[in-house]
């Protein structure tokens, strides 16, 4: 299967640059993975598509303000040119694997100062394959608190606008710091919406997958099977494993919120779909032909053309159906990518798809997005 098989045309103006004022006001395109039928809703309509006994599996990872702007330190201790360090992976002992700019100036031995003199400094102590640097940080106090003061949100490269409220690039249920990018399907949920679905008998379980910048890395190989998938650290707690097992045994649906939750549960499930508590690194690459062991349905955003994420979605619903739904989203002027609108992909969810499509046109045309 070719990478170009997952290409679609996207007008640049449909790439959402800022979040909506209300998280759950985003649009929701429903896609029946069995028939290809679609419908148009709002995200706050999600409870009408859920059933008592379903479970939502959510990624509770929290984005680090991992983008640090500083100055290079000369041999005489004075400050030189500007530089940027982006934290990727905590390697322990205050050493992080990082992306750095300018790369030619930040070789092993280079030193950097951030913010007020002496509050946070760093030294490049090594280089790894692919060009990333190993950087050792020195600071006073607690590192995460220092990052909160000095760091900036590492927004995806296609977002050019400044983020006014950094919490809008966090889910309302985020709690475990470690991601370099948000698990964006969860950005649509409000605390009130979560309470509503729980009140109707939908259970919620949490996993943790720390999203790396590899999620934005393009697939450069012509054959998708030649792509070297990036690795990310993930955790399935015991209570979540037990919830998934109970849900499946009772005939409920396991609905993953985001591709990161999907990759986590599918990485650690037994062949029969049974879950146990586990933690470790995963480089699972899901593309058409994959047999899902646990996930029945997926809540997700719209993904970049030719990306591993649109390949994952296509594994669930079929490439032709997914691309047809994306073409519909473009026609209807949906908002795309991290701050954009959402999809709900499952079977038999919207028998009145054409009716809801027409209703959406009559009530929310001129969305302003």
């Amino acid at each position: 299967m070719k990478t170009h098989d997952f290409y679609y045309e996207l007008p640049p103006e449909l790439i959402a640059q800022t979040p909506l004022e209300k998280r759950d006001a985003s649009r929701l395109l429903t896609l029946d993975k069995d028939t290809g039928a679609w419908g148009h809703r709002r995200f706050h309509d999600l409870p009408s598509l859920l059933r008592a006994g379903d479970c939502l599996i959510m990624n509770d990872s929290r984005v680090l303000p991992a983008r640090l702007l500083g100055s290079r330190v000369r041999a005489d201790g004075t400050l030189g040119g500007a530089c940027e360090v982006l934290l990727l992976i905590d390697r322990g002992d205050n050493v992080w694997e990082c992306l750095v700019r300018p790369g030619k100036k930040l070789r092993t031995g280079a030193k950097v100062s951030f913010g007020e003199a002496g509050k946070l400094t760093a030294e490049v102590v090594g280089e790894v394959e692919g060009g990333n640097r190993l950087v050792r940080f020195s600071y006073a106090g607690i590192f995460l608190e220092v990052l909160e003061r000095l760091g900036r949100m590492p927004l995806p490269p296609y977002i050019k606008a400044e983020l006014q409220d950094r919490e809008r690039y966090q889910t309302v249920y985020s709690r475990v710091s470690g991601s370099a990018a948000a698990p964006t399907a969860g950005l649509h949920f409000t605390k009130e919406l979560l309470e509503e679905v729980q009140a109707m008998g939908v259970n919620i379980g949490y996993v943790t997958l720390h999203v790396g910048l590899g999620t934005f890395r393009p697939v450069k190989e012509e054959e998708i099977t030649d792509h070297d998938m990036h690795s990310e650290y993930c955790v399935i707690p015991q209570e979540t494993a037990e919830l998934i097992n109970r849900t499946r045994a009772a005939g409920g649906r396991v609905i993953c919120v985001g591709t990161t939750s999907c990759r986590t549960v599918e990485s650690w499930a037994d062949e029969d779909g049974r879950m146990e508590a586990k933690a470790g690194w995963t480089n699972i690459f899901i593309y058409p032909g994959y047999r899902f062991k646990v996930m029945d349905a997926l809540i997700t955003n719209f993904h970049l053309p030719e990306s591993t994420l649109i390949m994952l979605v296509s594994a669930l619903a079929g490439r032709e159906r997914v691309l047809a739904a994306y073409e519909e989203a473009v026609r209807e002027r949906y908002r795309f990518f991290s701050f954009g609108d959402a999809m709900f992909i499952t079977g038999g969810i919207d028998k009145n798809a054409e009716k809801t499509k027409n209703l959406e046109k009559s009530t929310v045309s001129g969305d302003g997005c």
Side-chain angles (χ1 to χ4, degrees):
M1 190 167 286
K2 307 294 186 184
T3 299
H4 193 69
D5 292 338
F6 299 89
Y7 180 79
Y8 67 93
E9 292 284 349
L10 179 67
E13 66 270 16
L14 295 186
I15 300 174
Q17 293 296 310
T18 56
L20 295 178
E21 181 179 354
K22 296 183 178 179
R23 291 176 182 261
D24 62 358
S26 53
R27 299 170 74 181
L28 180 67
L29 189 147
T30 60
L31 176 62
D32 189 318
K33 63 186 177 69
D34 299 321
T35 68
W38 59 66
H40 299 280
R41 310 271 188 127
R42 289 286 172 177
F43 200 85
H44 53 62
D45 297 325
L46 180 65
S48 68
L49 303 172
L50 303 176
R51 301 190 291 262
D54 289 341
C55 72
L56 296 176
I57 303 300
M58 300 175 146
N59 181 8
D60 63 5
S61 183
R62 186 170 176 82
V63 184
L64 287 168
R67 183 170 170 244
L68 291 165
L69 304 180
S71 300
R72 303 194 304 277
V73 180
R74 301 187 182 99
D76 62 1
T78 61
L79 297 182
C83 63
E84 179 177 336
V85 175
L86 182 62
L87 280 63
L88 298 178
I89 302 171
D90 184 356
R91 296 301 187 186
D93 195 28
N94 293 327
V95 174
W96 285 73
E97 183 175 333
C98 302
L99 284 173
V100 300
R101 281 193 269 180
K104 292 182 179 180
K105 299 288 187 178
L106 294 177
R107 300 291 187 182
T108 300
K111 297 181 179 181
V112 181
S113 179
F114 307 95
E116 186 179 345
K119 294 294 185 181
L120 178 64
T121 59
E123 180 179 356
V124 179
V125 295
E127 302 182 21
V128 299
E129 185 177 355
N132 291 348
R133 305 293 196 265
L134 297 177
V135 180
R136 175 172 285 116
F137 289 90
S138 300
Y139 51 90
I142 299 173
F143 188 56
L144 290 181
E145 293 180 356
V146 175
L147 281 183
E148 288 293 333
R149 292 197 305 271
L150 298 180
R152 299 186 182 186
M153 279 297 175
L155 294 177
Y158 47 75
I159 293 179
K160 309 302 181 185
E162 283 291 326
L163 182 63
Q164 300 303 313
D165 178 4
R166 66 168 60 181
E167 282 301 309
R168 293 307 307 273
Y169 197 54
Q170 306 279 15
T171 64
V172 297
Y173 49 83
S174 64
R175 54 188 177 184
V176 185
S177 293
S179 279
T184 54
L187 295 179
H188 308 282
F189 283 90
T190 63
K191 292 181 179 179
E192 293 76 15
L193 186 58
L194 291 172
E195 292 171 355
E196 183 179 351
V197 299
Q198 287 179 296
M200 61 181 285
V202 175
N203 295 302
I204 296 177
Y206 296 98
V207 298
T208 303
L209 182 142
H210 291 316
V211 187
L213 291 185
T215 192
F216 301 114
R217 185 159 60 93
V219 179
K220 297 180 179 179
E221 291 77 11
E222 182 179 359
E223 296 285 344
I224 66 173
T225 51
D226 293 334
H227 177 66
D228 183 20
M229 191 68 175
H230 61 284
S231 295
E232 293 166 314
Y233 187 78
C234 59
V235 179
I236 299 178
Q238 183 65 39
E239 59 267 28
T240 301
E242 292 174 354
L243 171 61
I244 291 173
N245 292 337
R246 289 197 308 270
T247 300
R248 298 182 72 244
R253 295 178 298 176
V254 176
I255 302 169
C256 289
V257 177
T259 57
T260 59
S261 298
C262 167
R263 293 181 69 236
T264 301
V265 299
E266 292 294 325
S267 291
W268 302 121
D270 293 341
E271 284 304 312
D272 63 358
R274 184 163 182 81
M275 301 294 308
E276 294 182 0
K278 287 189 178 180
W281 293 85
T282 180
N283 63 349
I284 188 171
F285 183 13
I286 297 175
Y287 53 85
Y290 178 84
R291 182 183 67 84
F292 288 90
K293 295 171 286 191
V294 175
M295 186 178 74
D296 299 302
L298 177 67
I299 296 169
T300 187
N301 280 16
F302 293 91
H303 303 294
L304 277 71
E306 301 183 339
S307 65
T308 60
L309 301 183
I310 195 172
M311 293 172 190
L312 184 154
V313 173
S314 297
L316 179 63
R319 183 183 69 88
E320 295 82 2
R321 288 172 180 161
V322 166
L323 291 179
Y326 271 54
E327 289 176 5
E328 169 70 1
V330 170
R331 283 192 297 268
E332 294 297 318
R333 310 295 289 177
Y334 273 64
R335 306 167 78 243
F336 278 67
F337 305 159
S338 295
F339 287 138
D341 295 314
M343 296 182 73
F344 182 38
I345 305 173
T346 188
I349 56 173
D350 210 338
K351 295 180 180 179
N352 298 314
E354 194 62 34
K355 179 179 177 180
T356 60
K357 176 180 175 181
N358 292 335
L359 175 63
E360 179 76 8
K361 283 183 176 179
S362 65
T363 57
V364 298
S365 58
D367 191 56
C369 303

